[in-house]
Structures are given as C-alpha cells and as structure tokens.
Amino acid sequence: MKPFDYYAPETLDDAVEILVQGAGDDVYPLAGGTDLFLRARFGEIAPTAVVNLKRIPGLAEVSRADDGSLHIGPLVTLNQLIASPLVDEHSPILAQTAGVMASRLIRNLGTIGGNVCRAAHYADLVAPLMVSDAGVDIAGPGGERRVPIAEFYTGPRETVLDDGELVTGIRVPATTPQVRSRYVNHMHREMVDLTIAGVAVSIRFDAQHRVCEEARIALNAVAPVQQRVPAAEKVLAGAPLTEESIAEAARAASEAIEPIDDMHASSWYRRKLIGVLTRRALQTLSSREDAKTPM
Amino acid sequence: MKRTLTLHVNGDNYDISVRPHAVLLDVLRDQVELTGTNESCRLGYCGACTVLLDGTPVNSCMVLALDADGRKITTVEGLAHGDALHPLQQAFVEHGAIQCGFCSAGMITSAAALLEENPHPTEAEVRYALAGNLCRCTGYVKIVEAVLAAAEQMADSSMEAERSTT
C-alpha cells in the first residue's frame, strides 16, 4: 500500500469540505476500510489521502424515526446489524443477510455504508434494501438529499454521489407484520466467500397470511447492478403463495435475466441458480417458519 | 509526515509515531515489538493477524494504526496471566490443536472473543465464529475440539470460584 495522508474530521461539514477540496485527487472516505485497503493493496486504487469518518458523532447508530422508519447510520458494522434489536424487529432481512457475509472479523469492521457505496455487483445488502424500498440519505456541498436505493446506482461501480457527497444513512420505511422478507445466496464456499448469485424476496400478505398482495424480488450478482425482476413479481401478486406459483415465479425470474459470465460462474450456471434460489427464498415465506432461522 | 498516537496494548500504554498509512499489524510487530500477532495474507482473509479492538476481534492488517489511537487492544500476548496459560492456550496444547502454529495466535485470540461473548458455544457456533481464521494445515477438527474443551474447563473453574466464595 502506497503512503497516503490521513484526515479524521469531527464534523460532517469538515469531511465534506476535505472531500470537495480533494476532488479529482484520489481522496477516499474511510469507513470500515476492508474494501478500500484491499483495493489499495491490489493496486486498483492509489489513495493520496483517506478521510476517516469514524470521529464524526452519530454515524454508527441505528434509530427509529417518528414516522416509524428505521435509520441506519453508514458506519454501522455488519455485526452491529446482526446484534441490533431494532434491526431484528424492523428489518430482520438485513441482519439475516449480514450473517452470511464475510467473516466475523471482517463483519466487525465492514459497514453498511461501505457495502452500499462500493457499488459492487455482488454487494449482498443491496438486493435486500431494494425489496425493502430503502432510501439513501446523502449530504454534500449542495445540501442534503434522499435517493431511493433503486436509483442510487447509475452503472457498474457507479453511483449518483457527486464530488464531496457522503452517504449519511440508510432509511428503511415502516413495515407491518404482514410483510415477510428473505435473502438467499450461493457462494462456492459456505462462508467467507463472494456471492455468485443471490435473491431477495419480500411479500406483503393479506391479514390471513394467505394471499400475496404485493411481491418484490431483487437479484444480486447476476448483472452489473442489482435489479428487481417485475416479470417474476407479477406472477405472485394477487394470488395465494403456492408451490405452483413459486415454481412459476422462479422460472420467470431465471428467464427474465441475461446473467453475467465471469471467472466465478458462467451465465448458464447463474441463470440456473437464480431459479433455484428464488424458489428456496419464496418457500421460506410460504411456510410459516421463522424468517430469521438460518438456512 | 509522521503522526503521534497512544496505543493501549495489553494494559500498557505506548506513545509512538507512525506514518498515516501504517496498519495496526505492522505497528504492533515492528514498533510495539509484540510479534505474537502474525502476518500472512494481508488481505483480511486469513485471520492470522487477529487482535481484539475494544474487545472485538478484527483483522489488524485492515485497521490503520491511527484508527486504533486511544482504543484498548488485546493481542495473544495479553491472554496469559504471567506464566499461566489462558485455558484456550492450554487446551490447544493438550488437544494437539497446533500443527505449524502459524494460525494459532489468531485462532486463539478469535476464540477468546467468542467465549467472552458466548461462554457455552455449540460446535456450529465455534465453526461459524472462527470461519475467518484459516489453518493452512487444515487442523480444524482438533481446533474446534480444543475451543469446546476450553469452554467447558472455563465454566468448571468459574463454578469452583463461585463455590469457594460462598
């Protein structure tokens, strides 16, 4: 890793100021560092300076807003997501997803903000955030704004973030007991590996927990950017969740995509995986088993 | 330009100066001169460099030394009490959980954090918690056995301690 300078601002304004001044000079915000330092060691990036965000108060907290939405600070670590009673109650899919990511050691460093901003096509939290209809809170030289997670990515490894802009939180809208969600992924190894295909599903059932009123399905690691699959969602909406409808939705999901092909898995294999994973994810919701039980 | 910081390592304070890009692993080994923490992959995969940061196990190759300023660091050297090995270290010796020994420091430090948080883990919980600590000799079976034995032994001695105080 080449030498770089270091800033540890104590306010968000100072951090934005440093990033604005450093725009174009490879100045990187530092959250968990697990990805930043990895890329620096591989020579993919050569930071001239890093701006450590950890001295800014409040960025590592989970809280509930007055409107019932969940606010997750960008520096909340993956293990914090797993341990947080608020996340468990409000958005268990995020805790469940964090539990399949990396190792315990890395989960103590890696953050939700880093996972989202890195814009990797295999970032596990993105598809679950998409089916949760999450928003990304952004602050920068031009003030604050909120962007739906589905509009946050503009292309492979590209986000809407402008020079000097930082993610200040992830907001997950209020939910109801009728909504159940699940993320299922596949890696070559059981643990400490990268996802080669993942499926996040979220179903809003009727009061009897029988008819699916609304379905959201988002796919991970099969395209340059995570994406919803409306063709599969449509199959499920307005009908009871049955073995037949699940099989049809799984088929629709795998047929709706043109998966990427790389050294980790072929396009053909990823398409097969999406069918299987979509079915498995939906099956966990159709039976009344606790959505938090690990696979 | 070098920066000064204070590291609290195993109960001692070290005032040192570092270059901003120095990672905790290198500073612990080269400046604090505690070489129990090992360097292996330097990519956050292998866990040989595991230390506890405020009680939380992390890969010290992935943490800037400056980011550890003022925080409590425990390395493998901080686990034993004088000449008395930590029950985990003792169990690793007794169960043959050490082959080449290169992963042992990280493995034991990681396991110490697990037992602190969960004194009675199941085998699956041990395997899950240690998934980020790789053993190149693949001696995992004995490692897991040793951690489970240490947990049992620690529970026994804490019960004894309770009995002797009542």
Side-chain angles (χ1 to χ4, degrees), chain A residues 5-6 41 52 54 99 108, chain B residues 3 42 56-57 61 67 128:
Chain A
D5 209 350
Y6 174 85
R41 290 201 179 114
N52 189 357
K54 291 192 218 54
N108 280 328
Chain B
R3 311 284 183 94
R42 230 180 154 75
T56 306
C61 71
D67 218 355
Y128 181 69

Side-chain angles (χ1 to χ4, degrees), chain A residues 5-267:
Chain A
D5 209 350
Y6 174 85
Y7 300 92
E10 288 178 8
T11 67
L12 202 56
D13 287 346
D14 287 351
V16 167
E17 177 68 26
I18 296 165
L19 287 167
V20 168
Q21 302 230 330
D25 287 334
D26 292 314
V27 176
Y28 287 83
L30 168 63
T34 56
D35 188 79
L36 188 73
F37 299 144
L38 196 66
R39 283 195 290 157
R41 290 201 179 114
F42 278 127
E44 276 177 44
I45 56 170
T48 58
V50 299
V51 183
N52 189 357
L53 306 177
K54 291 192 218 54
R55 311 276 164 175
I56 303 169
L59 295 185
E61 285 162 21
V62 180
S63 60
R64 188 163 7 219
D66 291 341
D67 64 356
S69 66
L70 188 72
H71 180 265
I72 305 172
L75 299 190
V76 167
T77 65
L78 301 177
N79 268 345
Q80 261 180 288
L81 282 181
I82 296 172
S84 162
L86 269 180
V87 172
D88 182 53
E89 181 191 331
H90 187 110
S91 197
I93 188 175
L94 296 182
Q96 181 238 321
T97 301
V100 303
M101 294 168 67
S103 68
R104 181 169 188 242
L105 308 171
I106 291 293
R107 286 194 301 270
N108 280 328
L109 295 170
T111 63
I112 185 171
N115 197 246
V116 166
C117 290
R118 170 74 174 94
H121 69 276
Y122 50 79
D124 288 295
L125 288 172
V126 176
L129 288 170
M130 280 180 172
V131 299
S132 306
D133 210 14
V136 183
D137 289 340
I138 298 167
E144 296 174 8
R145 58 182 177 137
R146 182 175 300 168
V147 175
I149 185 88
E151 293 164 27
F152 184 71
Y153 301 102
T154 51
R157 297 197 174 176
E158 295 279 336
T159 71
V160 297
L161 291 178
D162 281 330
D163 287 342
E165 281 193 319
L166 285 166
V167 167
T168 55
I170 306 294
R171 202 167 286 273
V172 185
T175 182
T176 69
Q178 271 73 48
V179 177
R180 293 189 59 189
S181 310
R182 182 81 189 195
Y183 176 69
V184 177
N185 71 330
H186 184 73
M187 306 185 283
H188 286 304
R189 290 181 301 190
E190 269 180 57
M191 286 180 243
V192 201
D193 206 350
L194 298 180
T195 292
I196 54 171
V199 179
V201 296
S202 180
I203 303 280
R204 194 180 78 236
F205 288 98
D206 65 351
Q208 286 73 44
H209 196 89
R210 206 181 66 86
V211 176
C212 164
E213 291 182 339
E214 187 193 358
R216 296 182 190 148
I217 302 176
L219 308 182
N220 184 31
V222 294
V225 176
Q226 288 80 0
Q227 51 180 281
R228 295 262 299 266
V229 267
E233 295 172 350
K234 259 183 265 163
V235 170
L236 300 171
L241 200 59
T242 61
E243 273 306 304
E244 292 72 31
S245 68
I246 287 173
E248 201 185 324
R251 192 163 44 244
S254 70
E255 284 170 5
I257 51 171
E258 198 53 61
I260 55 168
D261 197 291
D262 63 20
M263 61 186 270
H264 302 292
S266 67
S267 175

Side-chain angles (χ1 to χ4, degrees), chain B residues 3 8 21 29 61 72 75 78 80 90 119 127 142-143:
Chain B
R3 311 284 183 94
H8 305 293
H21 70 291
R29 288 182 57 86
C61 71
K72 192 171 158 253
T75 68
Q90 192 62 44
R127 287 180 178 277
K142 298 219 177 274
I143 288 169

